Amino acid sequence: MKIATYNVNGINGRLAVLLRWLELAEPDVVCLQELKAPNESFPEAAIRDLGYDAIWHGQKSWNGVAILSRVGEIQETRRGLPGRADDDQSRYIEAAVNGVLIAGLYLPNGNPRPGPKFDYKLRWFDRLHDHLAGLFDLDAPVVVAGDFNVMPTDLDVYAPERWRDDALFAAEVRQAYAELVAQGWTDALRHLHPGEQIYTFWKYWRQSFERDAGLRIDHILLNRPAATRLVAADVDRRPRGWEKTSDHAPVWVELADKGKRRGKT
């Protein structure tokens, strides 16, 4: 089962890129972020034409998350994090798909720092920490995938000294991510690529992608039942090199079929 996460940076403006990638990569389940579209503008028909069912939690102009599946019915279990009834930002969606619980998220950017946006980011991280603590010990595989807007370590940013004061690299944010992983989650990409500079995001200017001046801010976390089935994880850099594309690249993991344990990769 191939599960991916992709911040599309505007689903309708970059629909051709998304559809091209879906046909090329053939992921089974995809978590999308930054739809930048209200619910009624989600391109359901074009996605279904490729064989994918979809659920989405849209928002006009900003945010928005979705889950796509071509391997079974999407049984939605939650939209929006618990803990704050007045939070109207569309950043979290969760569903059971083919025996796997999928949580798709778009964590706040938090800039400028300090300020209310950074405070909101930390509070959102706290709510995520509390919610995922209740999912980790499920007997079923749980996959948490999305744009976390955090570089966990110096290895995850091309020039750490330039990012110390940024909300994506602030000590408080890195600590929040570390505490989340410390619940027992496996950071799939880092687990299979220890010590490797591997990025998921490159700014549009100054030939950042061509110079590989990137950041690793898109992550996939696995609970123990999912981690035992992990066979591969990587970044699909191909779409980032296409015209009119997102500044992110898709990240994907492959889980072995149920009952098959992980072998050497």
Side-chain angles (χ1 to χ4, degrees):
M1 188 174 182
K2 186 177 181 181
I3 302 169
T5 179
Y6 191 11
N7 180 322
V8 292
N9 192 17
I11 191 166
N12 287 307
R14 307 189 199 281
L15 183 58
V17 171
L18 173 62
L19 297 178
R20 178 182 175 187
W21 174 72
L22 289 173
E23 287 191 287
L24 181 67
E26 298 184 323
D28 296 310
V29 177
V30 185
C31 295
L32 301 177
Q33 303 89 44
E34 213 169 344
L35 303 180
K36 295 182 178 178
N39 284 327
E40 62 271 18
S41 296
F42 186 85
E44 180 180 11
I47 287 171
R48 289 193 184 280
D49 284 346
L50 287 183
Y52 287 88
D53 290 329
I55 60 171
W56 59 93
H57 184 21
Q59 188 168 2
K60 184 179 180 180
S61 300
W62 305 105
N63 307 322
V65 287
I67 297 175
L68 317 182
S69 169
R70 64 170 192 163
V71 290
E73 181 182 356
I74 305 174
Q75 300 176 323
E76 184 176 325
T77 55
R78 170 171 288 280
R79 58 176 55 204
L81 278 177
R84 184 175 167 181
D86 62 341
D87 188 357
D88 60 358
Q89 296 193 24
S90 301
R91 294 184 175 275
Y92 186 88
I93 194 164
E94 181 186 294
V97 182
N98 196 26
V100 179
L101 185 66
I102 307 290
L105 63 88
Y106 178 41
L107 208 137
N109 178 287
N111 281 305
R113 168 184 176 264
K117 291 185 178 181
F118 186 68
D119 295 340
Y120 173 69
K121 178 173 189 166
L122 294 180
R123 291 195 302 269
W124 206 94
F125 233 135
D126 287 341
R127 292 162 56 203
L128 180 67
H129 184 281
D130 292 345
H131 181 59
L132 293 189
L135 300 184
F136 179 78
D137 289 326
L138 294 178
D139 292 334
V142 180
V143 176
V144 183
D147 178 357
F148 283 71
N149 268 319
V150 55
M151 297 90 80
T153 71
D154 284 10
L155 187 62
D156 300 306
V157 51
Y158 74 99
E161 66 281 358
R162 301 180 187 176
W163 290 84
R164 298 296 180 195
D165 296 327
D166 193 276
L168 279 66
F169 201 49
E172 305 97 309
V173 173
R174 288 184 286 137
Q175 180 63 29
Y177 183 84
E179 290 175 357
L180 184 64
V181 173
Q183 292 178 348
W185 299 94
T186 295
D187 180 334
L189 199 59
R190 182 54 67 210
H191 180 71
L192 294 184
H193 300 273
E196 182 179 343
Q197 284 190 322
I198 185 167
Y199 303 134
T200 67
F201 169 93
W202 301 260
K203 290 185 176 182
Y204 286 122
W205 53 80
R206 297 179 181 175
Q207 294 188 309
S208 295
F209 182 65
E210 291 78 6
R211 294 186 295 112
D212 201 24
L215 314 172
R216 188 175 79 96
I217 59 176
D218 305 271
H219 310 300
I220 299 180
L221 304 182
L222 311 175
N223 74 340
R224 290 192 185 97
T228 61
R229 291 167 55 179
L230 177 64
V231 295
D234 213 335
V235 178
D236 189 344
R237 295 167 61 104
R238 294 172 295 182
R240 183 58 182 83
W242 299 343
E243 292 184 1
K244 299 181 179 179
T245 190
S246 172
D247 40 10
H248 294 251
V251 180
W252 59 270
V253 299
E254 183 179 346
L255 303 184
D257 293 339
K258 184 176 180 180
K260 295 183 180 180
R261 298 186 64 83
R262 180 176 62 211
K264 293 183 179 180
T265 59

